[in-house]
Amino acid sequence: MGTITGKEIIGRAVVSVNDGEKLGMITDVQVDYTARRVVGLALGGGGMLHKAPDMIIPYADVTAVAAHAVTVQQKSVAVSPNTAASSVQSLGDVKKRVLNDAGEIIGDGDDLQFNDANGEIVALQLVSKGGFLGVGGTAAVIPVGDVIGFGRDVITVRATAATTPTA
C-alpha cells in the first residue's frame, strides 16, 4: 500500500492486462468527497476544451498503480461517463479556499493524497508557499481526519488541524 496524489496519476496510461491494450490516458480523477474516496479515473476529454471524458475506469477495477501505468484486468471494465453517480466530482473541485472552524483562512486546496490500493483519501494538500516560480516551495498537508467538510464554496478543517509540510 502506498499513497499517490491526483496530480501524480493524471497523464498515466491505463492498460488492460488480459487484452494487452492501452485504454487511454488519465485526464482526471473522480472523487466522492462525501465518502472521501477516489471512485474513478477519467480517460480522454479534458485539455483546453474541457470536453467530457471518453470513458471512466471505476477505481474498484484498478489492479495496480505503478510509475508508468495503471492496470486493469480487462478493457470491459471501462464504462460510459454518463453512469457516474451525482455525488462524484472532479479532482479540480478541491481547488478552493480552506477555512478552519475558527473562521481563519489557512490556504487554498490544491490536491488530494489517496491510498493507491483502495482509493481512500488520506490527506488534503494545500497550494505550495515560498520558493521561486513554483520551485522549492513547501505545501502543507492536512490529514483527512481533520477535514470537517468538502463544501460547495470552501473546504473546512478543524482549527487544531496539524499541517505537515512536504518538500
Side-chain angles (χ1 to χ4, degrees), residues 15-79:
V15 176
S16 164
V17 175
N18 288 351
D19 304 308
E21 290 184 36
K22 177 180 166 184
L23 303 180
M25 303 295 279
I26 299 169
T27 56
D28 196 9
V29 177
Q30 295 196 315
V31 182
D32 183 334
Y33 287 100
T34 303
R36 298 179 183 213
R37 170 174 306 281
V38 170
V39 294
L41 303 173
L43 306 184
M48 290 178 55
L49 301 178
H50 300 290
K51 69 176 193 155
D54 298 329
M55 66 180 89
I56 304 295
I57 303 296
Y59 203 81
D61 291 316
V62 170
T63 56
V65 176
H68 300 104
V70 173
T71 60
V72 295
Q73 226 29 63
Q74 54 199 17
K75 66 181 177 183
S76 63
V77 301
V79 297

Side-chain angles (χ1 to χ4, degrees), residues 55-111:
M55 66 180 89
I56 304 295
I57 303 296
Y59 203 81
D61 291 316
V62 170
T63 56
V65 176
H68 300 104
V70 173
T71 60
V72 295
Q73 226 29 63
Q74 54 199 17
K75 66 181 177 183
S76 63
V77 301
V79 297
S80 164
N82 299 331
T83 61
S86 61
S87 62
V88 173
Q89 296 175 281
S90 168
L91 174 68
D93 289 332
V94 78
K95 293 183 179 292
K96 53 185 75 166
R97 271 303 139 142
V98 179
L99 205 71
N100 68 23
D101 56 2
E104 300 168 330
I105 295 172
I106 62 167
D108 294 303
D110 186 46
D111 204 351

